[in-house]
Amino acid sequence: MRPSEQMRDLGVVQRGAPVLAERGRVFDLPAEREAAEQAIEGLFSSMERIGLVHPFAKGMGIAAPQIGLGRAAAVVQAPDHGTPAIVLLNPRITERSTDADEQYEGCLSFFDVRGLVPRPLRITVETTTLEGQTVTTTYERGLARLVHHEIDHLDGLLYTARMRSDVTPIPVEEYRQTGRTWAYE
């Protein structure tokens, strides 16, 4: 079974589905708290199912559009599973460092390939709490990459939109860094 088929069978929406190309609708918080909580619960449930069949040494994330919800919610789990997961509601990147690097990324919505993606080494993100408050957090390196990848999903973008035009994704069988953390110089 191909990796993308496995993800599809676990409930992950696959590339080509319209919901992946649409901007996620923001939550009006706290008024839509119940809807936000349901979305978060669905994301954690999906992440748990996926984690049982595939290890994610670099951490993982999943965005609401990937489970068929056109809403602005995502969850990111750092590589250190002892660290609490990051919940992103209505996230918006407010700052990006000019320092960037290129690393291979994968996507649950087309898991058969990996692509070399340039991303800033540091991003600052505004999110909304369930109570409707705005919180600002800065993420660096691998965590910045994971968070940025998920925010892209909420903006209707796949990582291929960030790749340089002269670079194409490679089949997962050719990807030889599986299981290793991202390298930073």
Side-chain angles (χ1 to χ4, degrees):
M1 177 183 289
R2 299 290 304 152
S4 288
E5 292 169 344
Q6 187 177 41
M7 290 301 136
R8 182 200 61 227
D9 290 350
L10 291 168
V12 178
V13 173
Q14 294 300 295
R15 181 167 54 180
V19 71
L20 293 177
E22 299 166 1
R23 185 175 295 275
R25 191 165 47 90
V26 299
F27 290 95
D28 177 14
L29 293 167
E32 289 189 290
R33 180 184 181 124
E34 187 175 323
E37 287 174 337
Q38 289 173 355
I40 293 165
E41 184 178 314
L43 291 166
F44 274 113
S45 176
S46 292
M47 190 180 277
E48 187 175 325
R49 279 193 314 276
I50 294 162
L52 291 174
V53 299
H54 188 85
F56 291 89
K58 297 178 183 181
M60 79 169 284
I62 190 164
Q66 292 180 282
I67 61 170
L69 300 174
R71 299 303 302 262
V75 175
V76 172
Q77 179 61 60
D80 174 10
H81 291 287
T83 304
I86 298 165
V87 174
L88 302 165
L89 291 173
N90 304 338
R92 186 173 67 87
I93 297 173
T94 57
E95 290 181 43
R96 292 170 173 83
S97 68
T98 55
D99 294 335
D101 75 338
E102 276 189 322
Q103 301 282 344
Y104 278 99
E105 293 183 17
C107 182
L108 299 173
S109 292
F110 55 109
F111 213 51
D112 298 333
V113 297
R114 300 296 182 267
L116 197 55
V117 183
R119 297 224 187 247
L121 291 176
R122 187 178 60 260
I123 60 173
T124 301
V125 178
E126 277 186 3
T127 57
T128 310
T129 67
L130 291 168
E131 295 77 26
Q133 325 239 274
T134 300
V135 176
T136 302
T137 309
T138 299
Y139 301 100
E140 296 186 356
R141 301 191 178 271
L143 205 47
R145 179 172 292 279
L146 286 167
V147 168
H148 198 265
H149 179 110
E150 297 313 320
I151 292 173
D152 275 353
H153 274 298
L154 302 179
D155 289 336
L157 298 174
L158 298 177
Y159 74 71
T160 50
R162 299 267 181 212
M163 293 174 64
R164 289 184 287 115
S165 61
D166 62 334
V167 175
T168 57
I170 61 171
V172 70
E173 295 83 6
E174 290 179 27
Y175 177 67
R176 298 292 180 229
Q177 294 180 340
T178 302
R180 295 187 193 150
T181 58
W182 283 302
Y184 293 96
E185 297 172 20

